């Protein structure tokens, strides 16, 4: 059974949830990467997975089958199914998130009859509270509530816009606070704070990064694929990619970036975004793991630990200053000796 | 071969677009990374795009001097967030550029109408050359893979010289191939086609 890992990995305090290509979800213990459960029910590709903030036992997942499902991670059973049938047909859902208070769900959709929707549910109700459909023109690629402000939502789409909403407002018109035009196609957004307010780190489908200041709706930095390649010490930008960004406990923004090539020339690194520079933060060394294209990651700000998942089906836990551990390898061989002291915090 | 085709063109009433059609292989739209974005080409593929400047005082003056259509904040506020009027504005132009001080107010002044039309403005700073930015918009093309293994991008138009089209074609192909995981192994075929003409195979 192949672990898809292209729709994301979600983490809670002690667990990890990853998507499998057979439409099921797999639960793992974060520390040992031991598999706990399989959760089945979705009938099409699972596109997003998130834990309800602060909870180890409630997981939500979105799918192209048009449902957001809630799961009890202790039993592995589905506890609720949310969908939106206001148009007499289900809208394929492409991403999902839960707000900080754990009260509301938001999912983005594919284009349905020329509209791209954001649908909202109360976690306790299967039918939607409402939706927005005026602010994006193309498929939603990501929805991200603010980590502590339950009313702030950032959304990104292949139309190139990142929209920021105050969902406590009653109408979409009033809720839309800012539109950031990346002039490309958005892959993911990450909230971070600076002294002058809220910012967003935006990863584009063209393997580029943009940083935006929300107060001013201003782009404060952009890094093209060449700059990403230089930062990860590769000469061929066409094999380089950025997977996503994470915020550390100190408020730094880290980007998971790598290069794919055969014969061990692949690499995986964490880059720190320093104002207008990308600086190396850590080298994630394990040639079998870094051969594959990393498609999903989850970060623990508390411990600095990172989990990555890639197209080769390997989940890897990286700890600062220690050897990585991986699950689902084809052979049980341990990483070679030169990889001791992986994930060092000093720059290269 | 491109110029040979142009010579055979019948006279049409509109300026035909030239497109690159890419057929992909070994790519699974369900599993592989999304293939979508924009790329800037050297020779303007869409010179007749109408771009409107939503400007502060300085930018409005500059727009006037450059014979570019413009609107200031007051003119935008006069639309009173009326959906029909905003929609009409969106229809009138192909793209918008807005000054820094204005762009952050757009959602408040106009609501999501420009978003809905896919025409939210690009940013125009006082460091940018206005005509340069307008040319940039006219030179940037969008590409997006949907569920079928084939996509098409605008390369230019039939009144461009063969050299200009060739340069644009190379830039587009190189950029798109660089974004595919297996690069040329993901490309099954390449065709160039003008709106009314037959496709011509390149690869």
């Amino acid at each position: 059974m192949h672990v898809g890992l292209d729709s994301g990995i979600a983490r809670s305090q002690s667990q990890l949830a990853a998507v499998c290509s057979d439409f099921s979800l797999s639960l793992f213990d974060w520390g040992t990467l031991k598999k706990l459960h399989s959760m089945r029910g979705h009938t099409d590709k699972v596109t997003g997975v998130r834990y309800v903030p602060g909870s180890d036992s409630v997981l939500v997942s979105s799918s192209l089958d048009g449902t957001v499902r809630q799961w009890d991670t202790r039993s592995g059973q589905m506890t609720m199914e949310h969908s939106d049938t206001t148009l007499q047909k289900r809208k394929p859902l492409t991403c999902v998130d839960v707000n900080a208070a754990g009260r509301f769900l938001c999912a983005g959709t594919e284009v349905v009859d020329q509209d791209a929707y954001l649908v909202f549910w109360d976690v306790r109700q299967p039918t939607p509270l409402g939706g927005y459909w005026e602010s994006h023109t193309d498929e939603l690629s990501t929805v991200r509530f603010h980590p502590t402000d339950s009313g702030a939502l950032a959304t990104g789409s292949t139309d190139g816009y990142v929209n920021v909403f105050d969902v406590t407002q009653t109408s979409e018109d009033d809720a839309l606070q800012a539109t950031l035009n990346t002039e490309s196609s958005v892959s993911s957004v990450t909230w971070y704070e600076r002294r002058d307010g809220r910012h967003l780190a935006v990863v584009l489908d063209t393997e580029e990064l943009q940083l935006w200041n929300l107060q001013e709706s201003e782009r404060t930095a952009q890094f093209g694929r060449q700059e990403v390649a230089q930062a990860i010490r590769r000469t061929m930008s066409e094999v380089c990619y950025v997977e996503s960004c994470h915020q550390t406990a100190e408020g730094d923004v880290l980007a998971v970036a790598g290069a794919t090539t055969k014969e061990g020339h692949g690499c995986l690194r964490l880059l720190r975004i320093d104002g207008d520079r990308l600086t190396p933060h850590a080298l994630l060394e394990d040639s079998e793991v870094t051969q594959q294209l990393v498609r999903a990651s989850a970060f623990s700000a508390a411990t600095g630990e990172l989990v990555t998942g890639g197209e080769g089906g390997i989940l890897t836990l990286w700890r600062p200053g220690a050897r990585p551990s991986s699950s689902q390898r084809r052979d049980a061989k341990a990483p070679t000796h030169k990889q001791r002291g992986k994930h060092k915090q000093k720059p290269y | 071969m491109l110029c040979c085709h142009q010579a055979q063109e019948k006279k049409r009433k509109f300026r035909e677009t030239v497109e690159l059609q890419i057929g992909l292989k070994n790519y699974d739209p369900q599993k592989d990374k999304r293939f979508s974005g924009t790329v800037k080409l050297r020779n303007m593929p869409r010179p007749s795009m109408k771009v409107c400047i939503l400007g502060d005082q300085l930018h409005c003056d500059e727009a006037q001097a450059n014979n570019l259509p413009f609107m200031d904040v007051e003119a935008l506020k006069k639309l009173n967030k009326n959906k029909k009027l905003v929609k009409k504005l969106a229809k009138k132009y192909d793209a918008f550029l807005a000054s820094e001080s204005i762009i952050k107010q757009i959602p408040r002044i106009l609501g999501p109408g420009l978003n809905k039309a896919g025409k939210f403005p690009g940013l125009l700073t006082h460091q940018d050359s206005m005509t340069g930015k307008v040319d940039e918009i006219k030179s940037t093309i969008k590409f997006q893979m949907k569920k079928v293994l084939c996509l098409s991008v605008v390369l230019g138009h039939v009144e461009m010289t063969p050299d200009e089209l060739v340069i644009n074609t190379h830039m587009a192909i190189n950029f798109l191939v660089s974004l595919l995981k297996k690069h040329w192994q993901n490309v099954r075929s390449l065709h160039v086609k003008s709106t009314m003409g037959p496709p011509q195979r390149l690869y």
Side-chain angles (χ1 to χ4, degrees):
Chain A
M1 181 208 61
H2 180 72
V3 180
L5 294 175
D6 51 312
S7 314
I9 300 176
R11 64 155 262 271
S12 64
Q13 279 276 61
S14 62
Q15 286 178 10
L16 208 51
V19 172
C20 300
S21 58
D22 63 353
F23 312 150
S24 69
L25 291 153
S26 287
L27 265 186
F28 299 87
D29 175 270
W30 171 276
T32 61
L33 290 187
K34 185 168 158 253
K35 184 160 169 184
L36 301 169
H37 282 307
S38 255
M39 295 172 304
R40 294 172 200 286
H42 279 301
T43 55
D44 203 331
K45 180 180 176 188
V46 178
T47 51
V49 63
R50 289 270 196 268
Y51 278 89
V52 169
S55 163
D56 252 358
S57 59
V58 187
L59 188 67
V60 303
S61 59
S62 58
S63 164
L64 296 182
D65 68 11
T67 64
V68 169
R69 292 176 198 237
Q70 274 188 54
W71 311 86
D72 179 332
T73 60
R74 293 162 300 195
S75 62
Q77 299 301 312
M78 182 180 88
T79 53
M80 171 129 8
E81 185 182 307
H82 309 266
S83 63
D84 174 11
T85 45
T86 46
L87 289 183
Q88 279 81 50
K89 62 180 168 201
R90 285 178 165 179
K91 301 182 172 75
L93 305 174
T94 54
C95 45
V96 68
D97 198 11
V98 193
N99 74 347
R103 272 288 303 284
F104 298 122
L105 299 170
C106 175
T109 74
E110 287 185 345
V111 175
V112 179
D113 295 341
Q114 308 193 328
D115 289 314
Y117 295 80
L118 290 161
V119 187
F120 296 90
W121 292 268
D122 180 305
V123 292
R124 299 160 299 186
Q125 305 291 335
T127 50
L129 288 168
Y132 298 157
W133 56 86
E134 308 263 281
S135 311
H136 282 295
T137 48
D138 212 331
E139 179 171 313
L140 269 297
S141 42
T142 183
V143 289
R144 262 296 167 85
F145 279 102
H146 189 273
T148 53
D149 177 355
S150 281
L153 174 70
T155 62
S157 159
T158 50
D159 62 15
Y161 306 147
V162 169
N163 284 318
V164 179
F165 296 95
D166 170 4
V167 301
T168 63
Q169 301 299 313
T170 39
S171 73
E172 181 173 1
D173 269 26
D174 292 333
L176 181 63
Q177 302 294 300
T179 299
L180 313 174
N181 189 353
T182 66
E183 299 181 63
S184 181
S185 177
V186 177
S187 174
S188 75
V189 297
T190 305
W191 290 90
Y192 66 102
E193 307 281 328
R194 286 289 173 266
R195 233 170 303 159
D196 58 355
R198 293 178 178 172
H199 292 244
L200 287 170
V202 183
V203 176
L204 304 175
D205 286 321
T206 44
E207 313 302 355
E208 298 171 309
L209 265 171
Q210 290 183 4
L211 301 180
W212 289 80
N213 173 335
L214 283 187
Q215 294 303 100
E216 302 297 314
S217 284
E218 191 189 0
R219 189 168 58 208
T220 56
Q222 55 179 338
F223 304 100
R225 204 176 186 190
Q226 275 294 354
E227 286 158 280
V228 172
Q230 273 176 326
I232 63 173
R233 307 291 185 257
R234 286 294 175 277
T235 47
M236 292 197 307
S237 65
E238 56 267 29
V239 296
C240 300
Y241 63 93
V242 185
E243 184 269 315
S244 72
C245 294
H246 300 284
Q247 190 176 14
T248 66
E250 297 80 37
D252 284 329
V253 185
L254 301 179
V256 178
T260 56
T261 40
K262 300 189 266 267
E263 297 123 39
H265 290 142
C267 80
L268 191 61
R269 286 180 127 102
L270 278 175
L271 297 173
R272 198 175 86 245
I273 306 179
D274 219 342
D276 59 351
R277 278 161 52 238
L278 281 178
T279 55
H281 180 82
L283 173 67
L284 310 178
E285 239 178 328
D286 180 322
S287 55
E288 192 186 338
V289 173
T290 58
Q291 217 78 272
Q292 57 172 352
L293 181 59
V294 168
R295 295 287 301 276
S297 63
F299 183 72
S300 163
T303 58
E305 292 169 325
L306 178 78
V307 170
T308 58
E311 289 187 351
I314 305 176
L315 264 181
T316 307
L317 171 65
W318 307 89
R319 291 193 170 95
R323 290 160 108 207
S325 50
S326 288
S327 76
Q328 323 228 337
R329 286 175 183 282
R330 237 164 280 142
D331 59 79
K333 211 162 56 163
T336 60
H337 75 278
K338 76 168 178 164
Q339 287 142 14
R340 210 176 320 154
K342 234 156 291 10
H343 193 154
K344 293 187 232 168
Q345 298 282 3
K346 72 177 204 283
Y348 280 72
Chain B
M1 121 265 318
L2 261 172
C3 54
C4 178
H5 169 66
Q6 274 172 275
Q8 288 162 24
E9 272 301 297
K10 276 206 301 220
K11 255 302 182 176
R12 303 281 178 185
K13 292 204 181 94
F14 63 99
R15 187 200 277 139
E16 293 174 58
T17 308
V18 176
E19 281 183 345
L20 175 69
Q21 292 175 337
I22 307 160
L24 295 185
K25 66 176 189 207
N26 300 328
Y27 173 87
D28 183 343
Q30 278 267 39
K31 294 206 160 87
D32 284 310
K33 249 189 172 185
R34 198 181 304 116
F35 189 55
S36 172
T38 58
V39 58
K40 181 171 170 302
L41 300 179
R42 176 96 52 82
N43 302 302
M44 251 188 277
R46 298 179 300 170
S48 45
M49 269 185 90
K50 284 184 291 184
V51 182
C52 179
I53 311 294
L54 306 179
D56 54 25
Q57 192 56 60
L58 262 168
H59 277 143
C60 285
D61 291 340
E62 201 184 330
Q64 184 148 49
N66 280 298
N67 258 318
L68 289 165
F70 62 93
M71 286 177 79
D72 63 13
V73 181
E74 293 314 312
L76 292 172
K77 283 184 172 158
K78 279 217 177 78
L79 300 181
N80 244 325
K81 247 180 166 181
N82 178 312
K83 282 193 153 61
K84 278 211 173 117
L85 291 177
V86 177
K87 194 170 175 184
K88 206 168 157 207
L89 174 66
K91 276 207 150 135
K92 197 168 170 196
Y93 299 101
D94 297 309
F96 296 87
L97 281 172
S99 312
E100 281 174 293
S101 58
I102 296 201
I103 204 164
K104 61 185 176 183
Q105 299 180 63
I106 303 265
R108 297 268 61 76
I109 304 178
L110 298 180
L114 292 185
N115 298 47
K116 189 70 185 169
K119 294 181 184 175
F120 192 84
L123 178 66
L124 184 65
T125 65
H126 286 291
Q127 285 74 41
D128 292 325
S129 144
M130 185 178 285
T131 47
K133 221 32 221 293
V134 170
D135 284 351
E136 200 182 302
I137 289 195
K138 295 179 177 182
S139 303
T140 304
I141 54 158
K142 205 173 147 64
F143 62 93
Q144 191 173 0
M145 172 67 62
K146 300 268 184 176
K147 296 194 174 166
V148 282
L149 283 190
C150 158
L151 81 161
S152 125
V153 294
V154 171
L155 286 178
H157 55 86
V158 293
E159 283 167 31
M160 286 168 78
T161 68
D163 274 341
E164 288 173 330
L165 275 174
V166 164
I167 289 176
N168 277 7
T169 308
H170 276 143
M171 285 183 90
I173 291 178
N174 287 333
F175 185 78
L176 295 171
V177 168
S178 77
L179 278 181
L180 291 166
K181 185 169 70 177
K182 301 194 188 110
H183 306 128
W184 282 100
Q185 312 281 44
N186 279 131
V187 181
R188 182 175 42 84
S189 65
L190 288 173
H191 287 85
V192 171
K193 186 183 180 315
S194 66
T195 319
M196 307 300 286
Q200 299 204 22
R201 186 152 190 160
L202 290 181
Y203 175 84

